[in-house]
Amino acid sequence: MNEVVDTLRKIEEKYKLFQQQQFTFIRALERSREEAHDLIRPVSSIVQVQCYKDHHCYNSTDRRILNMFISICNDLRCLCHRMETVHPGDSVTNGLLEKCKVLLNDSNDLSALRATYPHGVVNYLSLEEARHRYGGVVSVLPIVIDSMREWITHSKRHVLYIEKDFQKFLAANQRPQQKAPWRPPGKHPY
């Protein structure tokens, strides 16, 4: 469980760096879309970002930021699989993991997805950009990271609850410690 928490913390640090460069990311998508002659359709999937990076991105800065986005998505995907093996899960944790998997699916349509408060990622975009072009792609990472945080919180509570029950069980069913048999004073061999 600690490995999962550490991995998520490292991904969050990468995401904070990415978030600071959101305008660069948007401009890279814009330039790649122009190069692809694909200005009408919104950026609606991770595969579309990958395609722009591979086939229509000629600027090294643009390639780096698009690669950073894809790398964070891949790290989150790997963490999802790791979370499945760490904790068998209940209906709540399984639902959160399933949500993350669907959102991180390469071909999932993200165009209707929007991050809400406390995330201001959509607020930094212009109205046109937020509504029609990049709102979903920009929103996917904070939503998935929040779901993973919620998964960790719920799993820790569940494990703690089980540990407390186990401690109560041990206390109730523990055999009393046997004392050494009584010996009369002065008859000890040592």
Side-chain angles (χ1 to χ4, degrees), residues 19-33:
Q19 197 175 16
Q20 291 169 356
Q21 301 174 20
Q22 181 176 329
F23 288 119
T24 307
F25 177 65
I26 296 303
R27 297 305 159 241
L29 284 174
E30 208 165 272
R31 280 191 285 271
S32 299
R33 289 177 66 212

Side-chain angles (χ1 to χ4, degrees), residues 7-8 11 45-50 69-85 97 100-108 110 140-141 144-145 148:
T7 305
L8 183 62
I11 292 171
S45 68
I46 297 169
V47 136
Q48 196 174 2
V49 175
Q50 178 78 45
F69 173 79
I70 293 165
S71 170
I72 292 171
C73 289
N74 289 336
D75 291 348
L76 288 169
R77 215 176 278 125
C78 290
L79 185 59
C80 267
H81 294 297
R82 178 97 177 129
M83 287 172 154
E84 276 183 322
T85 59
L97 270 182
C100 291
K101 284 181 186 177
V102 167
L103 289 174
L104 292 171
N105 186 355
D106 282 338
S107 58
N108 184 34
L110 305 171
V140 70
L141 294 178
V144 169
I145 289 172
M148 288 185 170

Side-chain angles (χ1 to χ4, degrees), residues 158-173:
H158 184 70
V159 168
L160 189 61
Y161 180 74
I162 289 172
E163 285 177 3
K164 283 184 180 179
D165 280 353
F166 184 68
Q167 293 297 331
K168 287 178 187 175
F169 173 78
L170 283 179
N173 295 323

Side-chain angles (χ1 to χ4, degrees), residues 103-123:
L103 289 174
L104 292 171
N105 186 355
D106 282 338
S107 58
N108 184 34
D109 184 12
L110 305 171
S111 55
L113 190 66
R114 296 294 179 271
T116 56
Y117 180 80
H119 303 291
V121 290
V122 179
N123 296 343

